[in-house]
Amino acid sequence: MDKILEIDNLVTAYQGKEGFVHAVDGVSFDLNRGETVCIVGESGSGKSVTSMSIMRLVEFENGTIKEGTIKFNGEDLAQKSNEEMRKIRGSKISMIFQEPLTALNPVFTIGKQITEAILFHHKVGKKEAYRRAEELVRMVGISDPQARLKQYPHELSGGMRQRVMIAIALASEPELLIADEPTTALDVTIEAQILELLRSLRRDRNMSIMLITHDIGVAAEMADRIIIMYAGKIMEISKTQDLFDQPLHPYSKGLLDSVPRMDGQRGVPLNSIKGSIPRLNEVPKGCRFSPRCPYATEKCHAEMPPLEARGDRQVACWHVDRLLQDESLKNEIKGGGMDESGVKELSY
Amino acid sequence: MNQELKNSPTEQSEPLLKIENLKKYFPIKGGGYFKGNKKVVKAVDGVSFEIYRGETLGLVGESGCGKSTLGRNILRLQEPTEGRVFFKENDILAYRSHEMRKLRRQMQIIYQDPFSSLNPRFTVGEIIGEMFDIHGVAKGAEKEKKVKEMIELVGLDPSRYHSYPHEFSGGQRQRVGIARALALNPEFVVADEPVSALDVSVQSQVINLLMKLKEELGLTMLFIAHGLNVVRHISDRVGVMYLGRIVELSETDNIFDYPAHPYTAALLSTVPEADPRLKKERIVLKGEVPSPANSQAAAISEPDVL
Ligand SMILES: Nc1ncnc2c1ncn2[C@@H]1O[C@H](COP(=O)(O)OP(=O)(O)OP(=O)(O)O)[C@@H](O)[C@H]1O
Ligand SMILES: Nc1ncnc2c1ncn2[C@@H]1O[C@H](COP(=O)(O)OP(=O)(O)OP(=O)(O)O)[C@@H](O)[C@H]1O
Ligand code: SF4
Ligand SMILES: [Mg+2]
Ligand SMILES: [Mg+2]
């Protein structure tokens, strides 16, 4: 398949009080053209740092890419000069940030900010830029674009501002869109509108999308594949349906189990992952999840499992088989035995 | 179903709290050019319902529809513009401040944001202990003992008595907030988005804690949240709020299985489902919540289906 992004062994570190901390520690994954991949994980797991590394924005926050390659259309972004990166950022790769209000300039109208973005990336006149701005604004689902373009950011609601940010991000017609929690600050109805918009971009423009979220529901709806991250490392990469049918990693399973399901039994205690994500300067020596993992053994505490292929999935855990065995037992007890997908899962 | 009957609050208990035609209007600064034509935001606009003893009533609705304002006004942390609030059949809006202060012991609030709702300069022991001080309930060694009991009750180690908020994770801080709210053993608690700011893994811990406390302490709760899956899980009944009004209120299973109001149906259809097999037809509400300032114009109609 045609790969637009290939990340290999990315290590990104920040200079902290007690020396370097590795916020992203040996992360590798690919993104296919036209594919939507979601990165999911608890707060502090390194999702934003991963995307800021791709954009080469970590340097502006005292971070460094210490190792690894970030190939975008075959060219290593980690080796680009700042000048070259400036040209790629916001043109071939665009990013939508978590906080829409702070990302827009409060003193300029929406229209000015979008036309600027268009003029920056395309050789067109002002009039044409304005016409395209109207088109973009309409495309992101804002009605009455002519009136809206004359407004200032504070005159718009959170959802509208986020859509304006998306319009700006799309001004350059990027090949890759990185969206870092684009809906976290918004409520469900507006979230639904933005997600629908992202889906249509993918459908109509074959855009590749890297979506960061800690909402498993959002990932389930949007992703072709899901990357589960924890404490700077990737724990599992699976096709969305496969992950929900049977997570391979204890952490993935913990995450999925802790979300109340709309079709689940009400009022019963939810499963939860005990403990919390370690601070970066005190990550455990072996598997990073070992202090919280119900399957942890001596080996886990001593040695970090590598991310390894299992069928067309990838997982970093010493004891995947034990987890699967447990699950199949549970299924048998539940009665009706295993369904076919369970059997398939076990016979990798 | 049998269980549903048992859960039905009307069947088994009396209302602990009764709200009648509650309104809260905020004046808008600089609104209107003409004098006497003052504009107001009708944040809560004529809400009536009852909450039964031991019940968890969920409250959902879009951002800005008035959920927090309603919660605050029920507790009289803000003075309602109009309406009545009965707590155990007493009209508490008629209470004087010293009567209200006494009542505070029985009605508490848990806030959304575990990061800003705790004073960073106080230790956990002081933050929770303050509740005993304010109401003169316990002092010295006895206070310390009670505080430690609370810390333990919410699943933290009592040795954290001398720790400061910044030494805790988000979920732990939220537990401290809960311990503080429950310190005086209140009968009624408004939980205003108590888990929205937390990671899913931590969310489930706090939800479990709240359910356990409800069970053990017989707590009655108004549970405000925008995560519909969370509300469904924890609530006995659910109220749906839109533009300052309750448009539908019913038993949880009823609301989720047979939404009667088109707005409820639209709201439900937007929930991202944590299972790709359950993907469904979405009713995408076009546009956004009209500002409550001009809500007369915003009659709710059959939402557009995209
Ligand atoms: N500028 C920085 N300086 C030092 N440490 C940083 C910086 N930015 C991020 N970190 C650290 O890197 C780790 C990963 O942070 P990151 O922002 O990538 O998390 P995240 O997965 O995006 O979490 P969230 O869901 O909260 O957005 C965290 O421990 C964070 O404290
Ligand atoms: N002190 C205030 N002065 C003026 N307007 C206010 C005040 N407090 C709330 N409002 C307005 O009242 C309306 C309802 O606000 P409220 O905070 O109750 O909404 P909410 O449903 O809790 O929203 P969210 O889900 O975003 O927390 C909003 O339009 C808000 O701007
Ligand atoms: S390697 Fe061990 S500790 Fe880590 S997730 Fe797997 S079983 Fe758990
Ligand atoms: Mg982030
Ligand atoms: Mg609120």
Side-chain angles (χ1 to χ4, degrees), chain A residues 3 121 141 205 210 251 256 301:
Chain A
K3 294 201 187 329
H121 296 293
R205 308 192 156 199
M210 188 174 126
Y251 180 61
L256 296 188
H301 292 296

Side-chain angles (χ1 to χ4, degrees), chain A residues 97-108:
Chain A
F97 295 89
Q98 213 156 331
E99 233 320 303
L101 184 55
T102 52
L104 286 170
N105 190 330
V107 302
F108 294 119

Side-chain angles (χ1 to χ4, degrees), chain A residues 42-43 157 193 221 268 270, chain B residues 199 201 208 233 282 285 288:
Chain A
E42 281 166 278
S43 183
S157 72
Q193 295 169 0
E221 292 228 346
V268 296
L270 297 165
Chain B
D199 267 318
S201 54
N208 286 348
H233 194 81
R282 274 168 180 284
L285 287 167
E288 40 214 278

Side-chain angles (χ1 to χ4, degrees), chain B residues 53-105:
Chain B
R53 211 179 273 279
E55 178 185 39
T56 299
L57 180 69
L59 190 61
V60 300
E62 280 164 90
S63 178
C65 70
K67 304 181 294 295
S68 299
T69 306
L70 179 59
R72 278 197 299 269
N73 280 268
I74 291 175
L75 296 183
R76 258 187 102 183
L77 296 170
Q78 227 168 30
E79 287 303 321
T81 309
E82 213 182 294
R84 300 213 279 179
V85 176
F86 296 93
F87 183 71
K88 296 184 187 167
E89 301 186 344
N90 299 312
D91 181 358
I92 66 168
L93 297 185
Y95 275 24
R96 293 159 180 277
S97 56
H98 71 275
E99 291 171 305
M100 206 50 221
R101 210 170 314 132
K102 261 198 232 145
L103 187 65
R104 286 258 173 274
R105 288 183 54 178

Side-chain angles (χ1 to χ4, degrees), chain A residues 42-43 157 160 187 189 191-193 199 221 244-245 258 260-262 264-268 270 272-273, chain B residues 62-63 199 201 204-205 208 211 229 232-233 235 253 256 272-277 279 282 284-285 287-288:
Chain A
E42 281 166 278
S43 183
S157 72
M160 289 243 186
D187 65 64
T189 51
E191 171 173 81
Q193 295 169 0
R199 264 192 291 263
E221 292 228 346
F244 282 91
D245 284 346
S258 54
R261 291 173 56 112
M262 291 299 277
Q265 194 187 347
R266 295 194 291 112
V268 296
L270 297 165
S272 65
I273 310 172
Chain B
E62 280 164 90
S63 178
D199 267 318
S201 54
S204 59
Q205 295 171 8
N208 286 348
M211 290 193 304
N229 55 341
R232 177 181 173 276
H233 194 81
S235 309
D253 288 330
F256 283 90
E273 188 70 65
D275 186 337
R277 282 198 209 284
K279 268 184 204 170
R282 274 168 180 284
V284 175
L285 287 167
E288 40 214 278

Side-chain angles (χ1 to χ4, degrees), chain A residues 47-49 98 180-181 212:
Chain A
K47 306 182 296 292
S48 294
V49 172
Q98 213 156 331
D180 190 352
E181 314 242 11
I212 293 171

